[in-house]
Amino acid sequence: MGISRFSQAKWWGIAALVFLVTLWLLGNVILPFLVGGAIAYFLDPIADRLERLGLSRALATAVIAVATVLIFVLLVLAVIPTLVNQLTQLINSAPAIFSQLQTFVMNKFPQLSDETSTIRQTLDSLGQTIQQRGGQMANTLITSFFSVINAVVFMIVAPVVAFYLLLDWDKMVAKIDTLLPLDHAPTIRELFREIDHVLAGFVRGQMTVCIILGTYYAFALMAAGLNFGAIVGAIAGFLTFIPYVGALVGGGLAIGLALFQFWGDWWSIIIIWAIFQSGQFVEGNILTPRLVGNSVGLHPVWLLFALSAFGALFGFVGMLIAVPVAAAIGVVARFGIAQYKASRLYHGIEAAPYREEQG
């Protein structure tokens, strides 16, 4: 005898609650496993393609591991030091940039020279804060980053976890499939296929968009002669993952720096603006439609809410799982709506005879 729908909902609710409580209690302890799982999930299609070309799963995993290590070493030796150096210089230059801004504003608006003015006092206070903290902000930012994402996690634990998960990914999926409740296995499989479609379309596609845009912005801004162009491009590309944030932060930072560096040289400022304008055009009309698609079902507002909510509740770990959980909730919600629209609760009792006649 099957259990009632109320009991099923109760047990699924308990499972979800246990998952959230475990996530909250363990926190950063499970971070390397989440990172390793995300890496394995991202690389699994590549391993599957190598298998179709004739390689065994073990050899395909080994090829991917070697290629990943080579790319990582290349980034560490050639790219990351440049970005960290430019980030440090940018933050250390903040007091001087702010001083130039204050001088410019005072020349354009002489009434602000009144020391009793509220705006003048606010600018002075902000300038003192930047001067006091500017030299420490870069080190604080980098230290905080590595305190959240420990270097050992990326260097040792997460890659090992990713390697073994990638090696046994298909076996694990098949094993989990055998544990599904038999009455609902087809429905659950369909839901998970839809969730995988959403994640594959969004996460893998969006990461590719971020890499392409970040590379384009960095090289284009450096070619245009903008100081700190590499780090500004990298920031813009990375934040593209969050809807609208990459364009607003990256474009605002680049144009703001261009105004200080090229003031009076309006063609150079227009070139910086054109770089971001063209990047946004290509992203919105070519990259995102082709690589991400329009049917992934993750609305930008829903994604922003998920990142904010899970980040506030569970910190960095919460932000890692925000997109998968948001995708799963979206798929389950659409499934629930479809079930509701097919039910008598939606159509009403009087509509039943009509539906039978039409059938």
Side-chain angles (χ1 to χ4, degrees), residues 2 13 15 29 46 108 183 254 260 279 328 351:
V29 174
I46 301 177
K108 292 293 183 180
D183 287 346
F260 286 106

Side-chain angles (χ1 to χ4, degrees), residues 104-124:
F104 172 79
V105 172
M106 296 294 291
N107 290 335
K108 292 293 183 180
F109 306 98
Q111 61 271 25
L112 295 180
S113 60
D114 183 5
E115 296 183 358
T116 62
S117 169
T118 302
I119 299 179
R120 171 63 184 275
Q121 292 177 357
T122 302
L123 290 174
D124 290 341

Side-chain angles (χ1 to χ4, degrees), residues 19 32 75 95 119 128 170 192 202 246 256 273 356:
F19 169 76
L75 290 175
I119 299 179
Q128 291 174 5
D170 293 337
F192 272 98
F202 183 82
W273 170 83
E356 293 176 359

Side-chain angles (χ1 to χ4, degrees), residues 165-357:
L165 288 179
L166 182 61
L167 181 63
D168 295 328
W169 190 269
D170 293 337
K171 295 179 181 179
M172 290 188 301
V173 171
K175 184 65 176 179
I176 293 173
D177 184 75
T178 63
L179 300 176
L180 297 178
L182 298 180
D183 287 346
H184 306 287
T187 301
I188 295 175
R189 292 190 189 104
E190 183 61 30
L191 289 175
F192 272 98
R193 277 193 290 267
E194 180 66 19
I195 292 171
D196 178 66
H197 170 71
V198 172
L199 288 178
F202 183 82
V203 178
R204 294 170 183 150
Q206 195 64 51
M207 287 184 66
T208 305
V209 172
C210 290
I211 293 172
I212 293 174
L213 283 181
T215 304
Y216 165 70
Y217 286 143
F219 280 98
L221 292 175
M222 287 191 297
L226 181 68
N227 294 334
F228 317 113
I231 188 61
V232 172
I235 291 173
F238 176 76
L239 293 179
T240 300
F241 189 84
I242 306 175
Y244 312 120
V245 173
L248 292 175
V249 174
L253 184 58
I255 295 174
L257 290 173
L259 289 173
F260 286 106
Q261 181 179 345
F262 302 121
W263 184 258
D265 184 2
W266 300 110
W267 280 112
S268 296
I269 297 173
I270 291 174
I271 289 174
I272 301 300
W273 170 83
I275 289 172
F276 269 87
Q277 186 66 27
S278 61
Q280 289 305 299
F281 176 82
V282 171
E283 177 199 359
N285 295 277
I286 300 176
L287 295 180
T288 298
R290 290 179 178 272
L291 298 177
V292 180
N294 298 318
S295 59
V296 296
L298 277 178
H299 193 278
V301 175
W302 170 236
L303 180 62
L304 287 172
F305 173 78
L307 289 170
S308 301
F310 278 85
L313 290 173
F314 307 109
F316 183 76
V317 175
M319 296 187 70
L320 279 180
I321 68 166
V323 173
V325 172
I329 293 175
V331 170
V332 172
R334 289 193 293 272
F335 174 77
I337 292 172
Q339 293 297 307
Y340 163 68
K341 287 189 173 182
S343 69
R344 296 180 67 178
L345 178 62
Y346 176 75
H347 290 279
I349 298 177
E350 296 181 358
Y354 173 78
R355 290 199 309 273
E356 293 176 359
E357 292 177 3

